[in-house]
Amino acid sequence: MKKDVHPSYGPATVTCACGKVWNIMSTRKEFKVGICADCHPFFTGKQKLVDTAGRVEKFNRRYKKNAQ
């Protein structure tokens, strides 16, 4: 490899909005993320299901006319 061309690779910290901090290796010194596996609703079991029944019914009503 050529000298002084590649960025330095070393330890870095990742900080989540929930407060969790962990160490990784990267070319950047620190990362700030908005969500991680400890606070994401899918992984915590607090996921809210979006009610799409109204949207599906609206779609069916709109395009049922054209099918006949």
Side-chain angles (χ1 to χ4, degrees):
M1 290 195 304
K2 293 182 181 179
K3 293 185 178 186
D4 300 327
V5 174
H6 302 283
S8 61
Y9 183 74
T13 59
V14 180
T15 306
C16 180
C18 70
K20 181 179 179 185
V21 178
W22 64 95
N23 297 319
I24 62 170
M25 298 292 286
S26 177
T27 56
R28 290 176 52 185
K29 296 292 179 193
E30 76 177 87
F31 293 89
K32 293 187 180 186
V33 294
I35 198 158
C36 68
D38 285 351
C39 61
H40 192 281
F42 180 78
F43 297 113
T44 60
K46 298 179 182 178
Q47 185 175 9
K48 295 180 182 177
L49 298 175
V50 178
D51 180 24
T52 59
R55 293 179 186 167
V56 172
E57 291 170 0
K58 184 178 178 182
F59 177 84
N60 287 335
R61 277 185 277 136
R62 180 181 292 167
Y63 292 104
K64 186 175 182 181
K65 296 175 189 176
N66 294 339
Q68 294 176 344

Short mmCIF file of all heavy atoms in Angstrom, two decimals:
data_model
loop_
_atom_site.label_atom_id
_atom_site.label_comp_id
_atom_site.label_asym_id
_atom_site.label_seq_id
_atom_site.Cartn_x
_atom_site.Cartn_y
_atom_site.Cartn_z
N MET A 1 0.83 -1.18 0.00
CA MET A 1 0.00 0.00 0.00
C MET A 1 0.88 1.25 0.00
O MET A 1 1.96 1.24 0.56
CB MET A 1 -0.90 0.02 1.24
CG MET A 1 -1.98 -1.04 1.22
SD MET A 1 -3.29 -0.80 2.43
CE MET A 1 -2.41 -0.72 3.96
N LYS A 2 0.35 2.29 -0.60
CA LYS A 2 1.07 3.55 -0.60
C LYS A 2 0.97 4.19 0.77
O LYS A 2 -0.05 4.09 1.46
CB LYS A 2 0.49 4.50 -1.63
CG LYS A 2 0.69 4.05 -3.05
CD LYS A 2 0.11 5.08 -4.01
CE LYS A 2 0.29 4.64 -5.44
NZ LYS A 2 -0.29 5.61 -6.37
N LYS A 3 1.99 4.87 1.18
CA LYS A 3 1.98 5.55 2.47
C LYS A 3 1.25 6.88 2.36
O LYS A 3 1.27 7.52 1.31
CB LYS A 3 3.40 5.78 2.95
CG LYS A 3 4.12 4.50 3.28
CD LYS A 3 5.48 4.78 3.86
CE LYS A 3 6.15 3.46 4.21
NZ LYS A 3 7.41 3.66 4.90
N ASP A 4 0.60 7.28 3.43
CA ASP A 4 -0.11 8.56 3.56
C ASP A 4 -1.26 8.72 2.57
O ASP A 4 -1.66 9.83 2.25
CB ASP A 4 0.88 9.73 3.40
CG ASP A 4 1.97 9.70 4.45
OD1 ASP A 4 1.68 9.26 5.58
OD2 ASP A 4 3.10 10.10 4.13
N VAL A 5 -1.81 7.62 2.07
CA VAL A 5 -2.96 7.69 1.17
C VAL A 5 -4.22 7.21 1.88
O VAL A 5 -5.28 7.80 1.75
CB VAL A 5 -2.71 6.85 -0.10
CG1 VAL A 5 -3.95 6.81 -0.96
CG2 VAL A 5 -1.54 7.40 -0.87
N HIS A 6 -4.09 6.17 2.66
CA HIS A 6 -5.23 5.56 3.31
C HIS A 6 -5.48 6.20 4.68
O HIS A 6 -4.55 6.57 5.38
CB HIS A 6 -5.00 4.05 3.48
CG HIS A 6 -4.76 3.37 2.17
ND1 HIS A 6 -5.77 3.09 1.29
CD2 HIS A 6 -3.62 2.93 1.57
CE1 HIS A 6 -5.27 2.51 0.23
NE2 HIS A 6 -3.97 2.40 0.38
N PRO A 7 -6.77 6.32 5.07
CA PRO A 7 -7.07 6.87 6.40
C PRO A 7 -6.64 5.91 7.50
O PRO A 7 -6.54 4.70 7.29
CB PRO A 7 -8.58 7.03 6.38
CG PRO A 7 -9.07 6.09 5.35
CD PRO A 7 -7.97 5.97 4.33
N SER A 8 -6.40 6.46 8.66
CA SER A 8 -6.00 5.62 9.79
C SER A 8 -7.20 4.83 10.30
O SER A 8 -8.31 5.33 10.37
CB SER A 8 -5.41 6.47 10.91
OG SER A 8 -6.38 7.39 11.37
N TYR A 9 -6.96 3.58 10.66
CA TYR A 9 -7.99 2.66 11.12
C TYR A 9 -7.71 2.36 12.58
O TYR A 9 -6.64 1.90 12.93
CB TYR A 9 -7.92 1.39 10.28
CG TYR A 9 -8.98 0.36 10.57
CD1 TYR A 9 -10.28 0.54 10.16
CD2 TYR A 9 -8.67 -0.80 11.26
CE1 TYR A 9 -11.26 -0.40 10.40
CE2 TYR A 9 -9.63 -1.76 11.51
CZ TYR A 9 -10.93 -1.55 11.07
OH TYR A 9 -11.90 -2.49 11.33
N GLY A 10 -8.70 2.64 13.44
CA GLY A 10 -8.47 2.42 14.85
C GLY A 10 -9.77 2.30 15.63
O GLY A 10 -10.86 2.22 15.04
N PRO A 11 -9.68 2.30 16.95
CA PRO A 11 -10.88 2.15 17.78
C PRO A 11 -11.80 3.36 17.66
O PRO A 11 -11.35 4.49 17.49
CB PRO A 11 -10.33 2.01 19.19
CG PRO A 11 -8.96 2.56 19.13
CD PRO A 11 -8.47 2.40 17.74
N ALA A 12 -13.10 3.08 17.74
CA ALA A 12 -14.11 4.13 17.67
C ALA A 12 -15.25 3.77 18.61
O ALA A 12 -15.40 2.61 18.99
CB ALA A 12 -14.63 4.27 16.24
N THR A 13 -16.04 4.76 19.00
CA THR A 13 -17.18 4.52 19.87
C THR A 13 -18.46 4.85 19.12
O THR A 13 -18.53 5.81 18.36
CB THR A 13 -17.12 5.37 21.15
OG1 THR A 13 -17.08 6.75 20.78
CG2 THR A 13 -15.92 5.03 21.98
N VAL A 14 -19.48 4.04 19.37
CA VAL A 14 -20.81 4.27 18.82
C VAL A 14 -21.72 4.60 20.00
O VAL A 14 -21.77 3.86 20.98
CB VAL A 14 -21.34 3.03 18.07
CG1 VAL A 14 -22.73 3.29 17.51
CG2 VAL A 14 -20.39 2.63 16.97
N THR A 15 -22.45 5.71 19.90
CA THR A 15 -23.35 6.13 20.96
C THR A 15 -24.77 6.20 20.41
O THR A 15 -25.01 6.88 19.41
CB THR A 15 -22.95 7.52 21.50
OG1 THR A 15 -21.59 7.49 21.88
CG2 THR A 15 -23.80 7.90 22.70
N CYS A 16 -25.68 5.52 21.06
CA CYS A 16 -27.09 5.52 20.65
C CYS A 16 -27.83 6.61 21.43
O CYS A 16 -27.40 7.04 22.49
CB CYS A 16 -27.72 4.17 20.92
SG CYS A 16 -29.47 4.09 20.44
N ALA A 17 -28.97 7.03 20.90
CA ALA A 17 -29.79 8.03 21.58
C ALA A 17 -30.33 7.51 22.91
O ALA A 17 -30.60 8.30 23.81
CB ALA A 17 -30.95 8.45 20.67
N CYS A 18 -30.44 6.19 23.06
CA CYS A 18 -30.94 5.62 24.31
C CYS A 18 -29.87 5.60 25.39
O CYS A 18 -30.17 5.35 26.55
CB CYS A 18 -31.48 4.21 24.08
SG CYS A 18 -30.24 2.96 23.71
N GLY A 19 -28.61 5.84 25.01
CA GLY A 19 -27.53 5.88 25.99
C GLY A 19 -26.55 4.74 25.91
O GLY A 19 -25.51 4.76 26.55
N LYS A 20 -26.84 3.72 25.13
CA LYS A 20 -25.93 2.58 25.01
C LYS A 20 -24.69 3.01 24.23
O LYS A 20 -24.78 3.71 23.23
CB LYS A 20 -26.61 1.42 24.30
CG LYS A 20 -25.70 0.21 24.18
CD LYS A 20 -26.37 -0.95 23.51
CE LYS A 20 -25.37 -2.09 23.41
NZ LYS A 20 -25.88 -3.21 22.67
N VAL A 21 -23.53 2.57 24.68
CA VAL A 21 -22.27 2.89 24.02
C VAL A 21 -21.52 1.58 23.80
O VAL A 21 -21.46 0.73 24.68
CB VAL A 21 -21.41 3.84 24.90
CG1 VAL A 21 -20.08 4.12 24.24
CG2 VAL A 21 -22.16 5.12 25.19
N TRP A 22 -20.94 1.40 22.61
CA TRP A 22 -20.10 0.23 22.34
C TRP A 22 -18.94 0.64 21.46
O TRP A 22 -18.96 1.67 20.81
CB TRP A 22 -20.90 -0.93 21.78
CG TRP A 22 -21.55 -0.73 20.45
CD1 TRP A 22 -21.04 -1.09 19.24
CD2 TRP A 22 -22.81 -0.13 20.17
NE1 TRP A 22 -21.92 -0.76 18.24
CE2 TRP A 22 -23.01 -0.16 18.79
CE3 TRP A 22 -23.79 0.43 20.97
CZ2 TRP A 22 -24.15 0.34 18.18
CZ3 TRP A 22 -24.93 0.94 20.36
CH2 TRP A 22 -25.10 0.89 18.99
N ASN A 23 -17.92 -0.19 21.48
CA ASN A 23 -16.68 0.11 20.76
C ASN A 23 -16.58 -0.75 19.50
O ASN A 23 -16.93 -1.92 19.51
CB ASN A 23 -15.47 -0.16 21.65
CG ASN A 23 -15.47 0.76 22.85
OD1 ASN A 23 -15.78 1.93 22.73
ND2 ASN A 23 -15.12 0.23 24.00
N ILE A 24 -16.09 -0.11 18.44
CA ILE A 24 -15.87 -0.79 17.17
C ILE A 24 -14.54 -0.31 16.59
O ILE A 24 -13.88 0.54 17.19
CB ILE A 24 -17.00 -0.50 16.16
CG1 ILE A 24 -17.07 0.99 15.83
CG2 ILE A 24 -18.33 -1.02 16.66
CD1 ILE A 24 -17.98 1.33 14.68
N MET A 25 -14.17 -0.84 15.45
CA MET A 25 -13.00 -0.37 14.72
C MET A 25 -13.50 0.37 13.48
O MET A 25 -14.39 -0.12 12.78
CB MET A 25 -12.10 -1.53 14.32
CG MET A 25 -11.53 -2.31 15.48
SD MET A 25 -10.35 -1.37 16.43
CE MET A 25 -8.96 -1.36 15.33
N SER A 26 -12.93 1.55 13.21
CA SER A 26 -13.37 2.34 12.08
C SER A 26 -12.34 3.39 11.72
O SER A 26 -11.37 3.60 12.45
CB SER A 26 -14.70 3.03 12.41
OG SER A 26 -15.11 3.86 11.34
N THR A 27 -12.57 4.08 10.62
CA THR A 27 -11.71 5.19 10.23
C THR A 27 -12.17 6.49 10.90
O THR A 27 -11.44 7.47 10.91
CB THR A 27 -11.71 5.39 8.71
OG1 THR A 27 -13.05 5.57 8.26
CG2 THR A 27 -11.09 4.17 8.02
N ARG A 28 -13.39 6.50 11.43
CA ARG A 28 -13.89 7.65 12.20
C ARG A 28 -13.73 7.37 13.68
O ARG A 28 -13.71 6.22 14.12
CB ARG A 28 -15.36 7.89 11.90
CG ARG A 28 -15.59 8.41 10.50
CD ARG A 28 -17.05 8.56 10.15
NE ARG A 28 -17.80 9.32 11.13
CZ ARG A 28 -19.12 9.49 11.09
NH1 ARG A 28 -19.82 8.93 10.13
NH2 ARG A 28 -19.73 10.19 12.02
N LYS A 29 -13.66 8.42 14.48
CA LYS A 29 -13.45 8.26 15.92
C LYS A 29 -14.74 7.97 16.68
O LYS A 29 -14.74 7.24 17.65
CB LYS A 29 -12.78 9.51 16.51
CG LYS A 29 -11.40 9.75 15.96
CD LYS A 29 -10.45 8.69 16.43
CE LYS A 29 -9.07 8.94 15.86
NZ LYS A 29 -8.18 7.83 16.03
N GLU A 30 -15.85 8.58 16.26
CA GLU A 30 -17.11 8.35 16.97
C GLU A 30 -18.29 8.42 16.02
O GLU A 30 -18.26 9.09 14.99
CB GLU A 30 -17.28 9.33 18.12
CG GLU A 30 -17.68 10.72 17.75
CD GLU A 30 -17.89 11.60 18.96
OE1 GLU A 30 -16.91 12.18 19.43
OE2 GLU A 30 -19.04 11.68 19.42
N PHE A 31 -19.34 7.67 16.39
CA PHE A 31 -20.58 7.64 15.64
C PHE A 31 -21.71 7.91 16.61
O PHE A 31 -21.68 7.47 17.76
CB PHE A 31 -20.82 6.25 15.03
CG PHE A 31 -19.84 5.88 13.95
CD1 PHE A 31 -18.65 5.25 14.25
CD2 PHE A 31 -20.13 6.16 12.63
CE1 PHE A 31 -17.76 4.90 13.27
CE2 PHE A 31 -19.24 5.81 11.63
CZ PHE A 31 -18.05 5.19 11.95
N LYS A 32 -22.75 8.60 16.15
CA LYS A 32 -23.96 8.80 16.94
C LYS A 32 -25.12 8.28 16.11
O LYS A 32 -25.33 8.71 14.98
CB LYS A 32 -24.14 10.27 17.27
CG LYS A 32 -23.06 10.78 18.20
CD LYS A 32 -23.33 12.17 18.67
CE LYS A 32 -22.17 12.55 19.60
NZ LYS A 32 -22.36 13.81 20.23
N VAL A 33 -25.86 7.33 16.68
CA VAL A 33 -26.99 6.72 15.98
C VAL A 33 -28.27 7.02 16.74
O VAL A 33 -28.27 7.24 17.95
CB VAL A 33 -26.81 5.19 15.81
CG1 VAL A 33 -25.65 4.90 14.89
CG2 VAL A 33 -26.63 4.50 17.12
N GLY A 34 -29.38 7.02 16.03
CA GLY A 34 -30.66 7.35 16.64
C GLY A 34 -31.35 6.16 17.27
O GLY A 34 -32.20 6.32 18.15
N ILE A 35 -31.02 4.96 16.82
CA ILE A 35 -31.71 3.78 17.33
C ILE A 35 -30.77 2.57 17.21
O ILE A 35 -29.95 2.50 16.30
CB ILE A 35 -33.03 3.56 16.56
CG1 ILE A 35 -33.95 2.65 17.32
CG2 ILE A 35 -32.78 3.08 15.17
CD1 ILE A 35 -35.39 2.80 16.92
N CYS A 36 -30.87 1.66 18.16
CA CYS A 36 -30.04 0.45 18.15
C CYS A 36 -30.92 -0.75 18.50
O CYS A 36 -32.12 -0.62 18.71
CB CYS A 36 -28.88 0.59 19.14
SG CYS A 36 -29.37 0.62 20.87
N ALA A 37 -30.33 -1.91 18.56
CA ALA A 37 -31.08 -3.13 18.84
C ALA A 37 -31.67 -3.14 20.25
O ALA A 37 -32.66 -3.82 20.50
CB ALA A 37 -30.20 -4.36 18.65
N ASP A 38 -31.09 -2.39 21.18
CA ASP A 38 -31.62 -2.36 22.55
C ASP A 38 -32.86 -1.49 22.68
O ASP A 38 -33.65 -1.67 23.60
CB ASP A 38 -30.55 -1.84 23.52
CG ASP A 38 -29.50 -2.89 23.81
OD1 ASP A 38 -29.68 -4.05 23.39
OD2 ASP A 38 -28.50 -2.55 24.46
N CYS A 39 -33.05 -0.52 21.79
CA CYS A 39 -34.20 0.37 21.92
C CYS A 39 -35.15 0.32 20.72
O CYS A 39 -36.18 0.97 20.73
CB CYS A 39 -33.73 1.81 22.14
SG CYS A 39 -32.73 2.50 20.83
N HIS A 40 -34.83 -0.46 19.68
CA HIS A 40 -35.69 -0.55 18.50
C HIS A 40 -36.96 -1.32 18.87
O HIS A 40 -36.90 -2.38 19.49
CB HIS A 40 -34.96 -1.26 17.36
CG HIS A 40 -35.66 -1.14 16.06
ND1 HIS A 40 -36.74 -1.90 15.73
CD2 HIS A 40 -35.43 -0.33 15.00
CE1 HIS A 40 -37.16 -1.58 14.52
NE2 HIS A 40 -36.36 -0.62 14.06
N PRO A 41 -38.14 -0.81 18.49
CA PRO A 41 -39.41 -1.46 18.87
C PRO A 41 -39.52 -2.90 18.38
O PRO A 41 -40.14 -3.72 19.05
CB PRO A 41 -40.47 -0.59 18.20
CG PRO A 41 -39.83 0.73 18.02
CD PRO A 41 -38.37 0.46 17.80
N PHE A 42 -38.95 -3.23 17.26
CA PHE A 42 -39.04 -4.61 16.77
C PHE A 42 -38.33 -5.57 17.70
O PHE A 42 -38.82 -6.67 17.97
CB PHE A 42 -38.44 -4.71 15.36
CG PHE A 42 -38.50 -6.09 14.79
CD1 PHE A 42 -39.68 -6.58 14.26
CD2 PHE A 42 -37.38 -6.91 14.79
CE1 PHE A 42 -39.74 -7.87 13.73
CE2 PHE A 42 -37.43 -8.18 14.26
CZ PHE A 42 -38.62 -8.66 13.73
N PHE A 43 -37.18 -5.20 18.21
CA PHE A 43 -36.40 -6.08 19.07
C PHE A 43 -36.85 -6.05 20.53
O PHE A 43 -36.62 -7.00 21.27
CB PHE A 43 -34.92 -5.71 18.98
CG PHE A 43 -34.34 -5.90 17.61
CD1 PHE A 43 -33.93 -4.81 16.87
CD2 PHE A 43 -34.23 -7.15 17.05
CE1 PHE A 43 -33.41 -4.97 15.59
CE2 PHE A 43 -33.71 -7.33 15.78
CZ PHE A 43 -33.30 -6.24 15.06
N THR A 44 -37.50 -4.98 20.96
CA THR A 44 -37.95 -4.89 22.35
C THR A 44 -39.33 -5.48 22.55
O THR A 44 -39.76 -5.67 23.68
CB THR A 44 -37.96 -3.42 22.83
OG1 THR A 44 -38.86 -2.67 22.01
CG2 THR A 44 -36.59 -2.82 22.79
N GLY A 45 -40.05 -5.76 21.47
CA GLY A 45 -41.40 -6.32 21.58
C GLY A 45 -42.46 -5.27 21.76
O GLY A 45 -43.61 -5.59 22.03
N LYS A 46 -42.14 -4.01 21.62
CA LYS A 46 -43.11 -2.93 21.78
C LYS A 46 -43.52 -2.35 20.43
O LYS A 46 -43.86 -1.20 20.31
CB LYS A 46 -42.51 -1.82 22.65
CG LYS A 46 -42.18 -2.27 24.04
CD LYS A 46 -41.56 -1.17 24.85
CE LYS A 46 -41.19 -1.66 26.23
NZ LYS A 46 -40.55 -0.63 27.03
N GLN A 47 -43.48 -3.19 19.40
CA GLN A 47 -43.79 -2.74 18.05
C GLN A 47 -45.28 -2.46 17.92
O GLN A 47 -46.11 -3.23 18.36
CB GLN A 47 -43.38 -3.81 17.05
CG GLN A 47 -43.54 -3.39 15.62
CD GLN A 47 -42.99 -4.44 14.67
OE1 GLN A 47 -42.64 -5.54 15.09
NE2 GLN A 47 -42.92 -4.12 13.41
N LYS A 48 -45.60 -1.33 17.30
CA LYS A 48 -46.99 -0.98 17.04
C LYS A 48 -47.33 -1.39 15.62
O LYS A 48 -46.59 -1.11 14.69
CB LYS A 48 -47.19 0.53 17.19
CG LYS A 48 -46.98 1.04 18.59
CD LYS A 48 -47.20 2.53 18.65
CE LYS A 48 -46.94 3.06 20.03
NZ LYS A 48 -47.09 4.52 20.10
N LEU A 49 -48.44 -2.07 15.47
CA LEU A 49 -48.88 -2.49 14.15
C LEU A 49 -49.73 -1.38 13.54
O LEU A 49 -50.64 -0.86 14.17
CB LEU A 49 -49.68 -3.78 14.22
CG LEU A 49 -48.89 -4.99 14.75
CD1 LEU A 49 -49.81 -6.18 14.89
CD2 LEU A 49 -47.73 -5.32 13.84
N VAL A 50 -49.45 -1.04 12.32
CA VAL A 50 -50.20 0.00 11.62
C VAL A 50 -51.46 -0.60 11.05
O VAL A 50 -51.42 -1.66 10.41
CB VAL A 50 -49.34 0.61 10.50
CG1 VAL A 50 -50.12 1.66 9.75
CG2 VAL A 50 -48.06 1.18 11.05
N ASP A 51 -52.58 0.06 11.27
CA ASP A 51 -53.86 -0.43 10.77
C ASP A 51 -53.97 -0.09 9.28
O ASP A 51 -54.16 1.05 8.91
CB ASP A 51 -55.01 0.20 11.53
CG ASP A 51 -56.36 -0.29 11.04
OD1 ASP A 51 -56.42 -1.39 10.47
OD2 ASP A 51 -57.35 0.43 11.23
N THR A 52 -53.83 -1.11 8.44
CA THR A 52 -53.89 -0.90 7.00
C THR A 52 -55.23 -1.34 6.42
O THR A 52 -55.43 -1.26 5.21
CB THR A 52 -52.76 -1.66 6.28
OG1 THR A 52 -52.90 -3.04 6.58
CG2 THR A 52 -51.41 -1.16 6.69
N ALA A 53 -56.13 -1.79 7.27
CA ALA A 53 -57.41 -2.28 6.76
C ALA A 53 -58.16 -1.18 6.03
O ALA A 53 -58.76 -1.41 4.98
CB ALA A 53 -58.25 -2.83 7.90
N GLY A 54 -58.13 0.01 6.52
CA GLY A 54 -58.80 1.12 5.86
C GLY A 54 -58.19 1.41 4.51
O GLY A 54 -58.90 1.73 3.54
N ARG A 55 -56.90 1.28 4.37
CA ARG A 55 -56.24 1.55 3.10
C ARG A 55 -56.57 0.48 2.08
O ARG A 55 -56.79 0.77 0.91
CB ARG A 55 -54.72 1.61 3.30
CG ARG A 55 -54.28 2.78 4.13
CD ARG A 55 -52.80 2.76 4.31
NE ARG A 55 -52.38 3.80 5.24
CZ ARG A 55 -51.19 3.88 5.78
NH1 ARG A 55 -50.29 2.96 5.51
NH2 ARG A 55 -50.89 4.86 6.59
N VAL A 56 -56.61 -0.78 2.52
CA VAL A 56 -56.92 -1.88 1.60
C VAL A 56 -58.36 -1.76 1.12
O VAL A 56 -58.65 -1.92 -0.07
CB VAL A 56 -56.66 -3.24 2.27
CG1 VAL A 56 -57.15 -4.38 1.40
CG2 VAL A 56 -55.19 -3.40 2.59
N GLU A 57 -59.27 -1.46 2.02
CA GLU A 57 -60.67 -1.30 1.63
C GLU A 57 -60.84 -0.14 0.66
O GLU A 57 -61.60 -0.23 -0.31
CB GLU A 57 -61.53 -1.09 2.88
CG GLU A 57 -61.64 -2.32 3.75
CD GLU A 57 -62.30 -2.03 5.09
OE1 GLU A 57 -62.67 -0.87 5.35
OE2 GLU A 57 -62.43 -2.98 5.87
N LYS A 58 -60.15 0.94 0.90
CA LYS A 58 -60.22 2.09 0.00
C LYS A 58 -59.69 1.72 -1.39
O LYS A 58 -60.29 2.09 -2.40
CB LYS A 58 -59.41 3.24 0.58
CG LYS A 58 -59.49 4.51 -0.21
CD LYS A 58 -58.69 5.62 0.46
CE LYS A 58 -58.73 6.91 -0.36
NZ LYS A 58 -57.94 7.97 0.25
N PHE A 59 -58.60 0.98 -1.42
CA PHE A 59 -58.03 0.52 -2.69
C PHE A 59 -59.03 -0.37 -3.44
O PHE A 59 -59.27 -0.19 -4.64
CB PHE A 59 -56.73 -0.24 -2.45
CG PHE A 59 -56.12 -0.81 -3.69
CD1 PHE A 59 -55.30 -0.04 -4.50
CD2 PHE A 59 -56.36 -2.13 -4.05
CE1 PHE A 59 -54.74 -0.57 -5.65
CE2 PHE A 59 -55.81 -2.67 -5.20
CZ PHE A 59 -55.00 -1.88 -6.00
N ASN A 60 -59.62 -1.32 -2.72
CA ASN A 60 -60.58 -2.24 -3.35
C ASN A 60 -61.81 -1.50 -3.88
O ASN A 60 -62.30 -1.79 -4.96
CB ASN A 60 -61.00 -3.33 -2.38
CG ASN A 60 -59.89 -4.34 -2.15
OD1 ASN A 60 -59.01 -4.51 -3.00
ND2 ASN A 60 -59.91 -5.00 -1.00
N ARG A 61 -62.31 -0.52 -3.12
CA ARG A 61 -63.46 0.25 -3.57
C ARG A 61 -63.12 1.05 -4.82
O ARG A 61 -63.92 1.15 -5.74
CB ARG A 61 -63.94 1.20 -2.47
CG ARG A 61 -64.85 0.52 -1.45
CD ARG A 61 -65.39 1.50 -0.45
NE ARG A 61 -64.34 1.68 0.57
CZ ARG A 61 -63.97 2.84 1.08
NH1 ARG A 61 -64.54 3.95 0.70
NH2 ARG A 61 -63.03 2.90 1.99
N ARG A 62 -61.94 1.62 -4.84
CA ARG A 62 -61.55 2.47 -5.97
C ARG A 62 -61.37 1.67 -7.25
O ARG A 62 -61.83 2.08 -8.31
CB ARG A 62 -60.24 3.19 -5.64
CG ARG A 62 -59.78 4.08 -6.79
CD ARG A 62 -58.50 4.76 -6.47
NE ARG A 62 -58.69 5.73 -5.40
CZ ARG A 62 -57.72 6.32 -4.72
NH1 ARG A 62 -56.47 6.02 -5.00
NH2 ARG A 62 -57.98 7.19 -3.78
N TYR A 63 -60.72 0.52 -7.17
CA TYR A 63 -60.39 -0.22 -8.37
C TYR A 63 -61.38 -1.34 -8.71
O TYR A 63 -61.27 -1.98 -9.75
CB TYR A 63 -58.96 -0.76 -8.29
CG TYR A 63 -57.98 0.39 -8.33
CD1 TYR A 63 -57.35 0.82 -7.18
CD2 TYR A 63 -57.72 1.05 -9.51
CE1 TYR A 63 -56.46 1.90 -7.21
CE2 TYR A 63 -56.85 2.12 -9.57
CZ TYR A 63 -56.23 2.54 -8.40
OH TYR A 63 -55.38 3.60 -8.46
N LYS A 64 -62.33 -1.58 -7.84
CA LYS A 64 -63.36 -2.59 -8.14
C LYS A 64 -64.25 -2.09 -9.28
O LYS A 64 -64.69 -2.85 -10.10
CB LYS A 64 -64.19 -2.86 -6.90
CG LYS A 64 -65.18 -3.98 -7.05
CD LYS A 64 -65.87 -4.28 -5.74
CE LYS A 64 -66.82 -5.44 -5.90
NZ LYS A 64 -67.51 -5.73 -4.65
N LYS A 65 -64.48 -0.80 -9.35
CA LYS A 65 -65.31 -0.22 -10.40
C LYS A 65 -64.69 -0.45 -11.77
O LYS A 65 -65.37 -0.73 -12.74
CB LYS A 65 -65.48 1.28 -10.17
CG LYS A 65 -66.22 1.62 -8.91
CD LYS A 65 -66.25 3.13 -8.69
CE LYS A 65 -66.78 3.47 -7.34
NZ LYS A 65 -66.74 4.91 -7.07
N ASN A 66 -63.39 -0.32 -11.89
CA ASN A 66 -62.70 -0.46 -13.17
C ASN A 66 -62.63 -1.91 -13.63
O ASN A 66 -62.53 -2.17 -14.81
CB ASN A 66 -61.28 0.12 -13.08
CG ASN A 66 -61.32 1.61 -12.86
OD1 ASN A 66 -62.30 2.26 -13.13
ND2 ASN A 66 -60.22 2.15 -12.36
N ALA A 67 -62.67 -2.86 -12.71
CA ALA A 67 -62.53 -4.27 -13.07
C ALA A 67 -63.78 -4.82 -13.72
O ALA A 67 -63.74 -5.76 -14.49
CB ALA A 67 -62.17 -5.08 -11.83
N GLN A 68 -64.95 -4.24 -13.42
CA GLN A 68 -66.21 -4.78 -13.95
C GLN A 68 -66.59 -4.18 -15.25
O GLN A 68 -66.20 -3.30 -15.82
CB GLN A 68 -67.35 -4.54 -12.95
CG GLN A 68 -67.14 -5.33 -11.71
CD GLN A 68 -68.21 -5.03 -10.67
OE1 GLN A 68 -68.92 -4.04 -10.76
NE2 GLN A 68 -68.32 -5.88 -9.69
#
